[in-house]
Amino acid sequence: MRIIRNSVPSRDGFYMPGEFEPHEGCIMIFPERPDSWQYGGYAARRAFVQVAEAIGESEQVTVCASGAQYDNARAALPPHIRVVEMSSNDAWARDYAPTFVRNAAGEIRGIDWGFNAWGGLYDGLYFPWDKDNQMARKLCDLLNVDVYDKRDFILEGGSVHVDGEGTCMVTESCLLSGGRNPRLTKEEIETVLKGYLGADKVLWLPCGIYHDETNEHIDNICAFVRPGEAVLAWTEEESDVQYAMSEACLEYLGNATDAKGRHIRVHKLPLPKPVTVTEEECRGLDACWDQPTRIPGERLAASYVNFYIANKSVVMPGFGDPADEKAKDILQELFPDRRVVQIYARDILIGGGNIHCITQQIPAGRRR
Ligand code: KQY
């Protein structure tokens, strides 16, 4: 594997394809840490396995597991899913597996962004994060793809969405947060995104989902379903703090055009009723250093937008909420060529994210 330090992907003709384009595979990480995953992670691991199985029906899934969990992961996952031993601090493949870019000849390369657990010592979520930060490079080595070194820029994969046709979407609340790249201006951040993702235009939605501990990643509020079309997490409950947040995003998108000059068609995807953590769930979580990770009654950032687009399916979360079915029907209509699979995801949500956050696609293409 070559580590590329003296160029940027766009200069070399590389760009990030849309998630709805064909994949070679998907990367996941087996969950383990007891301050993220309640009661020893058993329920979370079951949910992760269901996600891996659903995605594995139409693409090669690789699951990274610690040495301690390797045998367990191998036993829990079907034989066509590959398990490799790789250390990590937690299980958020979206955020610290590589972002993959491709060129016109179909060659794939990775990007190794800096990772500091969603805000480092400023407002990050755990310490240390050194093993997570090594994963992108290790995975590029494993997959035999060259990697761009961009560790001097803090970025999680869940904080960007692209349409593969020159448009990138982010939230201001995350990309401009004090714990990531505080010495860079918005314009300088935009220049990095364009250079590395091969984008011509960056759409800056103001915010994401209320109480999303990632400083409101884009992948929980809004996602492209194809170029020119996106879904936006939505509530009709005006008294809910999320109402103004979703409305601000809708207004922004209503006035925006993408890199090709198109107005973006926005489909509202209903949110479930607020999901809060129970006392029983909190009792099953270890403290992170000397602090509880969750407190009873705390609202979790539940959203159906946090889905993964696989080659032949869309794998989306369910919460046991009356809106589960409606959200599934909307996505099924938007993805007529894929089967929408809904997985009960409360046990992933308690960790702080959802199905999109625990997966990272490898676009179809040619490896070195
Ligand atoms: O990308 C995500 N949503 C992951 C957040 C993880 C927070 C750690 N508890």
Side-chain angles (χ1 to χ4, degrees):
M1 173 193 70
R2 200 161 53 100
I3 300 175
I4 307 167
R5 295 199 167 90
N6 55 2
S7 189
V8 299
S10 61
R11 198 184 304 154
D12 300 336
F14 284 77
Y15 69 98
M16 184 183 179
E19 192 173 320
F20 35 76
E21 295 180 46
H23 298 175
E24 169 185 321
C26 175
I27 297 163
M28 294 180 67
I29 306 166
F30 213 54
E32 185 177 359
R33 65 181 286 153
D35 55 0
S36 283
W37 312 105
Q38 49 154 348
Y39 294 103
Y42 292 93
R45 287 198 283 275
R46 258 198 310 277
F48 273 57
V49 167
Q50 286 172 18
V51 171
E53 286 175 343
I55 297 171
E57 284 180 17
S58 61
E59 52 194 68
Q60 170 71 65
V61 178
T62 299
V63 176
C64 303
S66 70
Q69 279 293 329
Y70 177 84
D71 281 346
N72 196 30
R74 187 58 285 166
L77 290 156
H80 61 276
I81 291 180
R82 173 167 55 188
V83 182
V84 294
E85 181 183 335
M86 193 177 289
S87 40
S88 66
N89 301 102
D90 203 356
W92 306 100
R94 174 65 48 185
D95 290 342
Y96 35 85
T99 299
F100 293 98
V101 288
R102 188 174 59 201
N103 69 5
E107 187 190 341
I108 305 295
R109 291 182 182 171
I111 304 172
D112 179 12
W113 310 101
F115 177 75
N116 70 356
W118 308 276
L121 300 183
Y122 180 80
D123 63 351
L125 300 173
Y126 52 67
F127 176 89
W129 52 79
D130 55 328
K131 294 189 177 73
D132 293 338
N133 199 24
Q134 289 180 320
M135 283 198 96
R137 205 165 288 187
K138 289 181 181 175
L139 282 158
C140 287
D141 221 344
L142 179 76
L143 295 167
N144 202 20
V145 298
D146 291 338
V147 63
Y148 289 95
D149 173 14
K150 196 53 184 163
R151 281 195 186 165
D152 67 351
F153 184 80
I154 300 296
L155 184 124
E156 305 94 42
S159 69
V160 292
H161 257 316
V162 297
D163 69 355
E165 294 192 356
T167 316
C168 168
M169 206 163 47
V170 300
T171 62
E172 290 192 343
S173 49
C174 179
L175 273 280
L176 304 183
S177 65
R180 289 183 173 80
N181 302 289
R183 280 183 291 279
L184 299 186
T185 64
K186 185 174 176 179
E187 290 66 35
E188 287 166 334
I189 291 172
E190 193 165 311
T191 301
V192 174
L193 295 174
K194 287 178 174 168
Y196 278 80
L197 301 174
D200 303 313
K201 184 161 190 178
V202 181
L203 300 180
W204 291 85
L205 276 68
C207 54
I209 293 290
Y210 173 67
H211 221 249
D212 183 331
E213 64 200 34
T214 63
N215 304 96
E216 303 166 17
H217 273 179
I218 189 75
D219 70 348
N220 219 16
I221 180 88
C222 192
F224 287 112
V225 296
R226 60 184 60 80
E229 262 181 80
V231 285
L232 177 70
W234 189 256
T235 175
E236 297 291 347
E237 199 56 65
E238 290 188 31
S239 59
D240 189 331
V241 55
Q242 182 62 44
Y243 184 85
M245 296 171 81
S246 290
E247 201 178 45
C249 291
L250 183 66
E251 191 186 337
Y252 175 86
L253 288 168
N255 292 318
T257 51
D258 66 13
K260 298 267 187 240
R262 292 174 289 230
H263 285 284
I264 297 157
R265 193 160 165 220
V266 180
H267 304 272
K268 293 175 178 170
L269 200 57
L271 282 156
K273 286 196 197 59
V275 177
T276 54
V277 196
T278 67
E279 263 190 59
E280 170 71 3
E281 286 164 342
C282 289
R283 269 198 295 274
L285 285 166
D286 279 5
C288 184
W289 292 88
D290 60 350
Q291 297 296 314
T293 15
R294 301 264 173 250
I295 47 169
E298 176 181 335
R299 182 161 166 180
L300 297 167
S303 164
Y304 300 109
V305 169
N306 211 300
F307 54 80
Y308 178 81
I309 308 173
N311 280 339
K312 292 194 178 155
S313 60
V314 173
V315 186
M316 70 175 295
F319 304 103
D321 185 276
D324 282 6
E325 213 175 300
K326 179 155 188 222
K328 185 179 178 201
D329 290 346
I330 292 172
L331 284 185
Q332 189 60 76
E333 223 170 278
L334 290 171
F335 290 101
D337 303 330
R338 288 175 164 96
R339 187 168 72 93
V340 176
V341 182
Q342 194 164 47
I343 289 171
Y344 181 68
R346 185 178 177 96
D347 291 297
I348 304 175
L349 179 65
I350 291 170
N354 223 306
I355 291 172
H356 196 255
C357 312
I358 62 166
T359 50
Q360 177 65 264
Q361 71 276 4
I362 308 165
R366 207 166 37 76
R367 302 209 243 119
R368 225 163 36 83

